[in-house]
Amino acid sequence: MLHSAAVGRCRGVTGMGPAAPCAAGHAHGVGRRAVADGVARGARPLAPRPRRVGACTGAPPLWPSLHCSHAARWRAPRAAQPIHAQTDAQGQPPSDGGSGSGAGSSGSGVLSSGIAEAEAAAAAAAAAGADAAAGGSGAAAAAAGAAHDAAAAAAAALPDAVARAASPPQPAAGGKPGSNFAKRVVFGVILGLLGAAIIVYGRLPFLVTTMFVVYQATQEYFGIVTSRGISRGQDAPPPLVSAMTTVLCLSITALTYFAGIKSGTAMCVAAFLLLVMNVVGNNRPTFSQLTSSVFGLFYCGYLPCFWLKLRNLSLPAPEVQLPALAALLPSMSVGLVATFTTVACIIAADTGAYFVGKNLGRTKLTDISPKKTVEGAAGGLASAVAAALALRWLFVWPGDAVAAAGLGVIVFFSSIFGDLIESIMKREAGMKDSGNLIPGHGGLLDRFDSYMFSGVIAWFYITTVLPRFGLA
């Protein structure tokens, strides 16, 4: 194929080689051999009339993104467009099922940079060909050869750009994982010290903290229940019922503390009122609405009450082994020692399970939480028992080492199953965290899920099991 020697409209057709300039300085796909043959014959081969694109009528080249001197992009069939031309409305390359969106976004920038370099090289070659075309057909042929080499080099750089775009970006040293772990440790220590002070002081600060946990837990719970993942398969409670559940949860906590009403009685009355609200507030209430609201009342209102009952156990405790520590603490009671020991066992179980599972974990524990391992669970169990025995030596309670070890065992199981139960709710809702209240930890339920059942289990063990077997 050979283009017209006259400067003006060109009628080139697509060749099989990279882009080469015509006499008008347009970049078209043309083979070097075809150019040489055309120059030797001094004639233009017949070709179908190409489609017009602006002022240029040349046919589209091999790479449709290459520009002619009019800066008009060649129109090519959609299926023949290269990767960088197949972008969405925001200019991003199409993703594969939504995965790797971050890598794809950064990769498109690298790809666009490589394509820009290729287009710039082809445009420079076209301009050089236009200048050389004025010198005669021999100069045009030489320019075509130079353009062929330049465009070939530019096209060779394109796969490298594609490869760089396809490779995921490497995280910088000391990036988010390390900073997130540090944040988790810092806020965990702050919460631990604040919680220890509140447990030691007891009374009104302990009640206020419990009521705050109850309120925030209900908000995050109904955030899970009304999420798109769960509400797609069942009807979520209406907002009025959610608000009523929060009020009733707080009422159960307050009545248990101030009026001395048994928490079981308060739970039954509150559940009845909540079911009545479901019937009155809905035209056609569903069973899923009834069960989800009553479970929220049980989970967020009834269970935390047992932490108040555990802390308020007024049985006198033995003397502390360390006199210096005894001088800093108020009058010791079984409630204080039992609450402190239970919380310490939960923290030890979480910490031991994390580090043992991270370094030695090989066997998956359950599909509910894929990151939990059998080795990590064993490490958590050993850590909880060790914490209970250590505090038994310090506080001289409970009276028997077997009783202390038993407390560590039941607290471990209540904490790990409390964690799994909340994981089931989050997985059903399609949520990673229940909220973002605590930096590095997520929501309050993400941090206190291990505590939800541990209070009632410890209270039952201390008030029922130990006295029955004479181990208190």
Side-chain angles (χ1 to χ4, degrees), residues 178-230:
S179 61
N180 185 63
F181 178 76
K183 185 186 298 184
R184 186 182 181 92
V185 171
V186 169
F187 278 91
V189 171
I190 293 175
L191 287 175
L193 295 176
L194 182 61
I198 293 173
I199 291 172
V200 169
Y201 193 80
R203 297 189 288 275
L204 191 59
F206 195 82
L207 172 65
V208 172
T209 302
T210 304
M211 295 188 71
F212 171 75
V213 171
V214 169
Y215 171 79
Q216 186 63 29
T218 56
Q219 302 306 303
E220 295 182 7
Y221 170 76
F222 281 104
I224 294 174
V225 170
T226 58
S227 64
R228 184 177 302 176
I230 290 183

Side-chain angles (χ1 to χ4, degrees), residues 31-249:
R32 180 185 297 181
R33 182 174 180 180
V35 172
D37 294 342
V39 170
R41 293 195 301 268
R44 181 190 315 180
L46 296 177
R49 183 176 180 85
R51 181 171 49 179
R52 290 178 180 270
V53 182
C56 179
T57 59
L62 183 62
W63 292 99
S65 63
L66 298 180
H67 294 273
C68 68
S69 59
H70 297 140
R73 187 176 295 274
W74 296 106
R75 296 177 183 171
R78 186 177 185 83
Q81 290 191 6
I83 296 175
H84 64 276
Q86 300 175 3
T87 57
D88 56 19
Q90 286 75 28
Q92 299 295 334
S95 60
D96 183 11
S99 62
S101 59
S105 172
S106 60
S108 64
V110 177
L111 180 58
S112 300
S113 176
I115 293 169
E117 295 175 1
E119 292 182 351
D131 294 338
S137 60
H148 178 277
D149 296 337
L158 192 59
D160 294 335
V162 174
R164 291 196 304 269
S167 61
Q170 298 297 327
K176 288 185 178 180
S179 61
N180 185 63
F181 178 76
K183 185 186 298 184
R184 186 182 181 92
V185 171
V186 169
F187 278 91
V189 171
I190 293 175
L191 287 175
L193 295 176
L194 182 61
I198 293 173
I199 291 172
V200 169
Y201 193 80
R203 297 189 288 275
L204 191 59
F206 195 82
L207 172 65
V208 172
T209 302
T210 304
M211 295 188 71
F212 171 75
V213 171
V214 169
Y215 171 79
Q216 186 63 29
T218 56
Q219 302 306 303
E220 295 182 7
Y221 170 76
F222 281 104
I224 294 174
V225 170
T226 58
S227 64
R228 184 177 302 176
I230 290 183
S231 60
R232 185 183 299 117
Q234 64 182 11
D235 295 326
L240 180 61
V241 174
S242 302
M244 186 66 177
T245 306
T246 302
V247 173
L248 290 175
C249 287

Side-chain angles (χ1 to χ4, degrees), residues 140-339:
H148 178 277
D149 296 337
L158 192 59
D160 294 335
V162 174
R164 291 196 304 269
S167 61
Q170 298 297 327
K176 288 185 178 180
S179 61
N180 185 63
F181 178 76
K183 185 186 298 184
R184 186 182 181 92
V185 171
V186 169
F187 278 91
V189 171
I190 293 175
L191 287 175
L193 295 176
L194 182 61
I198 293 173
I199 291 172
V200 169
Y201 193 80
R203 297 189 288 275
L204 191 59
F206 195 82
L207 172 65
V208 172
T209 302
T210 304
M211 295 188 71
F212 171 75
V213 171
V214 169
Y215 171 79
Q216 186 63 29
T218 56
Q219 302 306 303
E220 295 182 7
Y221 170 76
F222 281 104
I224 294 174
V225 170
T226 58
S227 64
R228 184 177 302 176
I230 290 183
S231 60
R232 185 183 299 117
Q234 64 182 11
D235 295 326
L240 180 61
V241 174
S242 302
M244 186 66 177
T245 306
T246 302
V247 173
L248 290 175
C249 287
L250 294 173
S251 300
I252 292 175
T253 306
L255 290 174
T256 302
Y257 184 85
F258 288 111
I261 299 177
K262 292 185 177 181
S263 55
T265 303
M267 170 66 189
C268 292
V269 174
F272 171 73
L273 295 176
L274 190 58
L275 292 175
V276 170
M277 181 61 64
N278 272 282
V279 175
V280 174
N282 287 336
N283 293 329
R284 299 184 64 181
T286 61
F287 182 70
S288 62
Q289 292 176 328
L290 301 181
T291 55
S292 60
S293 57
V294 173
F295 180 77
L297 185 68
F298 165 79
Y299 187 72
C300 303
Y302 179 68
L303 292 179
C305 289
F306 285 91
W307 283 102
L308 291 174
K309 300 173 76 170
L310 182 65
R311 178 62 182 85
N312 291 335
L313 287 175
S314 56
L315 299 175
E319 295 294 331
V320 180
Q321 291 282 14
L322 301 178
L325 181 61
L328 298 176
L329 297 175
S331 58
M332 301 291 291
S333 66
V334 170
L336 172 60
V337 177
T339 304

